[in-house]
Amino acid sequence: MTTQSLPNSSKRLWLAAIKPPMYSVAVLPIWVGSAVAWAETQRFHPWIFATFLAAAILIVAWSNVSNDVYDADTGIDQHKAHSLVNLTGNKPLIFWIGNGLLFLGILGILAISWEQHDPTVIGLILLCCALGYSYQGPPFRFGYQGWGELICFICYGPLALSAVYYSQVQSWSLTNLAAAVIVGLTTSLILFCSHFHQVADDLAAGKRSPIVRLGTARGAALLPWVCGSLYGLTLLFVLLGSFPLWTLLVFLSLPFAVQLVRHVQTYHDQPDQVSNCKFIAVALHFCSGMLLGLGFVLG
Ligand SMILES: C/C(=C\COP(=O)(O)OP(=O)(O)O)CCC[C@H](C)CCC[C@H](C)CCCC(C)C
Ligand SMILES: O=C(O)C1=CC(=O)c2ccccc2C1=O
């Protein structure tokens, strides 16, 4: 290794540890929930939107930082050079940085509830945080039993979108719940795709992810159905009159879905090749979610 390549590779490791693209999972529920609220009521509170967005980014950062701490305890990350704990060699520091991020995120949501004299939004987000903890933290570690995708769907779908919608208009909406199904589905798809290249480490640490349970071939065979349901459900909600016609813009994200399915079906059992499929899933999630929100705003 040359002296020039050392800082570059270390920069790459830090970027992989911080995972900038992953923060789209914080942005999309805020965008879509607020867009549905606007479409149904023509009401929009920019400061609530901005505060919720900042708080969601902090909470997602906590979920990622603490994941590296709890995974260091089980040994599952021992070969993961881009774990924050492995990079710093200082688990307590990472643990307390994570707690600080969570504290600030919850403070932001508290400010929204405080201003509205209503504990609903903070209640929903605390429930998300508790479920997020149960995914990875002791004594639960439900992600190790294969429950991660369900937890992810519930948190980033119905819970997050209901909290966002409620923060804007202090009521509930069935259309918003339908949009939450779409956002929850694509967010869980990211988590599902993140397991393909980790089968050996997961097996060694006793983690029974869906891909460990199904095998990579059957996992890959599921993808066309999951991606298909994203478009099928959008069409169904439009036909039922729940979504405006403009939400069919979601179909413009199809090239990412096709790329994801083809890539995983070709490389599902080659960890080095398939490892980037998570980022194709992020692109699909981001593109479909932005277009879904835009469809509500235009409609
Ligand atoms: C940290 C997460 C996944 C990483 O999992 P894994 O250990 O397999 O990956 P590595 O290979 O990187 O080690 C995400 C887990 C998400 C969790 C199921 C649910 C989190 C809920 C959030 C707290 C909800 C936040 C909602 C927001 C909009 C306010
Ligand atoms: O690091 C990861 O693999 C993930 C991080 C993360 O925050 C997240 C959130 C929602 C769905 C999936 C994921 C990840 O896969």
Side-chain angles (χ1 to χ4, degrees):
M1 197 178 284
T2 67
T3 46
Q4 263 187 336
S5 72
L6 192 63
N8 266 342
S9 64
S10 132
K11 202 159 67 176
R12 228 175 295 130
L13 281 180
W14 276 97
L15 268 178
I18 297 165
K19 314 173 193 171
M22 207 48 81
Y23 290 86
S24 66
V25 300
V27 177
L28 262 300
I30 320 295
W31 163 242
V32 177
S34 303
V36 179
W38 161 259
E40 291 189 335
T41 67
Q42 275 73 58
R43 280 156 65 193
F44 176 65
H45 298 283
W47 93 260
I48 290 180
F49 180 89
T51 309
F52 213 132
L53 184 59
I57 289 171
L58 289 162
I59 293 170
V60 170
W62 157 72
S63 144
N64 277 288
V65 167
S66 63
N67 181 264
D68 281 356
V69 173
Y70 299 126
D71 279 355
D73 290 339
T74 65
I76 199 170
D77 277 356
Q78 59 175 321
H79 300 124
K80 187 174 154 190
H82 59 279
S83 146
L84 289 167
V85 172
N86 294 342
L87 277 170
T88 58
N90 192 338
K91 196 169 71 171
L93 173 71
I94 301 302
F95 177 67
W96 286 108
I97 289 178
N99 290 343
L101 292 165
L102 178 62
F103 177 76
L104 291 175
I106 287 179
L107 213 58
I109 304 293
L110 259 180
I112 295 173
S113 281
W114 183 271
E115 135 94 19
Q116 296 181 336
H117 307 286
D118 184 335
T120 308
V121 176
I122 185 70
L124 287 170
I125 295 301
L126 284 177
L127 184 55
C128 280
C129 295
L131 286 171
Y133 175 83
S134 76
Y135 166 75
Q136 54 204 9
F140 313 103
R141 299 193 204 279
F142 290 139
Y144 283 64
Q145 312 305 320
W147 292 105
E149 279 68 11
L150 181 63
I151 295 176
C152 190
F153 175 84
I154 294 170
C155 291
Y156 284 99
L159 288 181
L161 264 83
S162 297
V164 172
Y165 186 95
Y166 195 93
S167 73
Q168 288 288 337
V169 295
Q170 285 80 63
S171 65
W172 312 102
S173 149
L174 275 180
T175 297
N176 187 52
L177 274 185
V181 171
I182 307 284
V183 176
L185 194 73
T186 55
T187 316
S188 292
L189 183 62
I190 301 174
L191 190 60
F192 186 76
C193 287
S194 78
H195 302 307
F196 277 96
H197 68 292
Q198 295 183 318
V199 172
D201 283 343
D202 286 353
L203 269 172
K207 180 170 178 174
R208 304 189 67 219
S209 75
I211 302 301
V212 168
R213 284 170 181 268
L214 289 170
T216 61
R218 278 200 285 172
L222 259 186
L223 284 186
W225 296 98
V226 178
C227 292
S229 67
L230 159 64
Y231 301 102
L233 284 171
T234 305
L235 185 61
L236 178 70
F237 293 141
V238 169
L239 292 176
L240 290 175
S242 188
F243 283 9
L245 204 60
W246 276 104
T247 55
L248 292 178
L249 278 172
V250 165
F251 279 76
L252 291 179
S253 66
L254 249 171
F256 289 116
V258 172
Q259 188 191 359
L260 179 66
V261 169
R262 285 200 180 141
H263 186 80
V264 176
Q265 291 197 336
T266 310
Y267 299 116
H268 62 88
D269 55 355
Q270 298 172 50
D272 286 345
Q273 300 280 352
V274 80
S275 66
N276 66 336
C277 75
K278 171 167 91 177
F279 295 103
I280 309 176
V282 170
L284 173 60
H285 164 76
F286 184 74
C287 186
S288 61
M290 288 310 280
L291 291 167
L292 180 63
L294 187 64
F296 277 102
V297 173
L298 295 175

